[in-house]
Amino acid sequence: MKLAIAPGDGIGKEVIPAALFVLDALGLDIEKIPLDIGYGKWERTGSALSDDDMDIIKGCDCILFGAITTPPDPGYKSVLMRLRKELDLYANIRPFVPLKKVTLPCAKEFDFVIIRENTEGMYSGVEELHENVAYTTRVITRKGSERIAETACRLAKERKKLTIVHKANVLKSDSFFRDVCMGVAKKNGISYNEMLVDSMAYDLVLHPQKYDVILTTNLFGDILSDVAAAVAGGLGLCPSANIGERYALFEPIHGSAPDIAGKGIANPIAAILSVKMMLEWAGWEKEAAMVMEAVNSALLDGITTPDLGGKYSTKDVSTAVATRISKGVD
Ligand code: ATP
């Protein structure tokens, strides 16, 4: 497998090396291609992601991505949006499950996935900025809705219930999305319910155990994932996968966290579990299970960064996880 490594900016530069250290402990045959993209590159060259970078990425199977700080340039186009669109990474999949010994603010048991359409909706890039008015066009297509609903139905076959989340009572584009998704669920024989996004945000905090697969549009999924991260104990714990037919990109759901960057205290677990999702995608199921077990073992032994109340560094946590993998976890 050929893997592009794009740590990006801020804590991306800390958590991605930590996750690679864990990956290396598995001793798999993976060719790693380092990539320098993001704010730092923009400062040096005026471009955060060049066409040459894109060519290198297209020569790889998948990408391990950290985070990118947004440059202070009104004309700046998001690197992540470009990657998602050009590589057609249409399914954004974010699993949420309690990890060992992590303090949870509400429910203690849940296991759900948020799956969101990743290439259109409010992030379609159709925008106009004038002096006294600005427009963002929310594009929802039948093709985009059908294929994300098909992916959600495949997940719902393993995970039981499908919940379609929208704001169809107000937005025509959302009643279209809802109707297409319902049609796909019926065709696949998947039982589903529907929920308005505002009710969903409220209920996800109070009763996350009620949900298995949550299917929604781009912006709603983005926001609900941060709600879910709080339910699961913090942004430093939550991984994600961006999947298309040809390529995939794996990234922690958190950003570049400039407030803690450079201090060596960022929690690497979200990045390590993004590697776990990459292993599952590539068919290394046994290795993925080892990573999960090693993470939980390190947590049980209290080896945690300050966001979880611990005194350990990013490196300490990745070393603890890698050591457990090398020893065969116990
Ligand atoms: P960006 O502008 O890149 O999105 P941000 O700071 O606005 O960065 P996040 O990076 O998601 O957004 O961070 C939100 C908060 O969560 C910050 O206070 C940050 O320190 C904290 N945080 C995020 N990721 C981690 C992590 N891996 N470990 C510890 N704290 C984290």
Side-chain angles (χ1 to χ4, degrees), residues 9 11 15 67-70 226 234-237 252-261 265-271 305-308:
D9 306 304
I11 62 167
V15 297
I68 285 183
T69 304
T70 305
D226 270 33
L235 277 170
L237 299 170
I253 79 168
H254 61 72
S256 63
D259 55 336
I260 56 164
I265 55 164
N267 192 338
I269 289 179
T305 42
D307 55 311
L308 297 183

Side-chain angles (χ1 to χ4, degrees), residues 41-322:
K41 180 164 190 153
W42 174 84
E43 277 187 316
R44 285 195 317 277
T45 68
S47 159
L49 172 73
S50 68
D51 290 344
D52 287 348
D53 295 327
M54 252 350 260
D55 288 342
I56 294 170
I57 288 169
K58 285 178 182 167
C60 295
D61 298 295
C62 59
I63 311 161
L64 183 61
F65 183 90
I68 285 183
T69 304
T70 305
D73 170 4
Y76 170 74
K77 293 229 165 27
S78 161
V79 165
L80 199 48
M81 296 306 136
R82 180 171 174 200
L83 289 171
R84 287 172 177 165
K85 267 197 169 273
E86 274 195 52
L87 303 177
D88 200 21
L89 306 171
Y90 64 86
N92 190 314
I93 300 175
R94 298 184 165 184
F96 297 92
V97 64
L99 296 173
K100 300 287 180 207
K101 276 188 97 173
V102 170
T103 306
L104 301 172
C106 7
K108 306 295 173 234
E109 280 188 29
F110 51 85
D111 183 358
F112 64 91
V113 172
I114 296 179
I115 170 162
R116 82 183 214 234
E117 205 296 321
N118 212 23
T119 56
E120 48 186 43
M122 285 294 269
Y123 298 160
S124 297
V126 186
E127 301 202 282
E128 279 177 52
L129 181 59
H130 304 283
E131 197 180 338
N132 296 314
V133 63
Y135 301 98
T136 297
T137 304
R138 188 173 195 259
V139 181
I140 306 273
T141 66
R142 181 174 299 282
K143 180 186 167 209
S145 307
E146 272 175 358
R147 64 183 183 170
I148 196 68
E150 289 286 356
T151 309
C153 285
R154 279 196 293 281
L155 274 176
K157 275 194 182 121
E158 299 155 23
R159 290 182 156 261
K160 299 182 218 142
K161 213 177 73 208
L162 176 68
T163 303
I164 301 165
V165 176
H166 55 77
K167 190 75 184 169
N169 56 338
V170 178
L171 302 172
K172 286 194 174 44
S173 52
D174 253 12
S175 63
F176 178 79
F177 177 78
R178 176 198 60 185
D179 293 348
V180 173
C181 291
M182 283 177 173
V184 172
K186 279 184 195 140
K187 190 190 85 192
N188 283 284
I190 299 292
S191 67
Y192 63 86
N193 66 336
E194 57 177 306
M195 194 107 168
L196 292 175
V197 64
D198 38 359
S199 309
M200 183 77 231
Y202 184 74
D203 207 48
L204 200 53
V205 171
L206 294 179
H207 309 112
Q209 69 279 12
K210 276 172 37 188
Y211 301 99
D212 296 317
V213 178
I214 295 167
L215 166 61
T216 191
T217 49
N218 209 341
L219 175 63
F220 291 165
D222 192 3
I223 297 168
L224 287 177
S225 315
D226 270 33
V227 173
V231 169
L235 277 170
L237 299 170
C238 305
S240 77
N242 300 251
I243 310 277
E245 300 299 338
R246 165 73 184 86
Y247 300 102
L249 179 151
F250 302 87
E251 50 162 345
I253 79 168
H254 61 72
S256 63
D259 55 336
I260 56 164
K263 296 183 178 160
I265 55 164
N267 192 338
I269 289 179
I272 294 170
L273 294 180
S274 300
V275 163
K276 172 196 170 264
M277 292 188 83
M278 179 186 83
L279 294 168
E280 285 166 341
W281 173 80
W284 278 305
E285 298 285 344
K286 183 170 65 76
E287 287 78 4
M290 277 171 76
V291 172
M292 191 68 188
E293 207 186 323
V295 164
N296 273 322
S297 165
L299 288 169
L300 276 172
D301 290 341
I303 301 166
T304 59
T305 42
D307 55 311
L308 297 183
K311 60 177 174 22
Y312 291 91
S313 68
T314 310
K315 268 194 184 144
D316 293 334
V317 173
S318 59
T319 303
V321 175

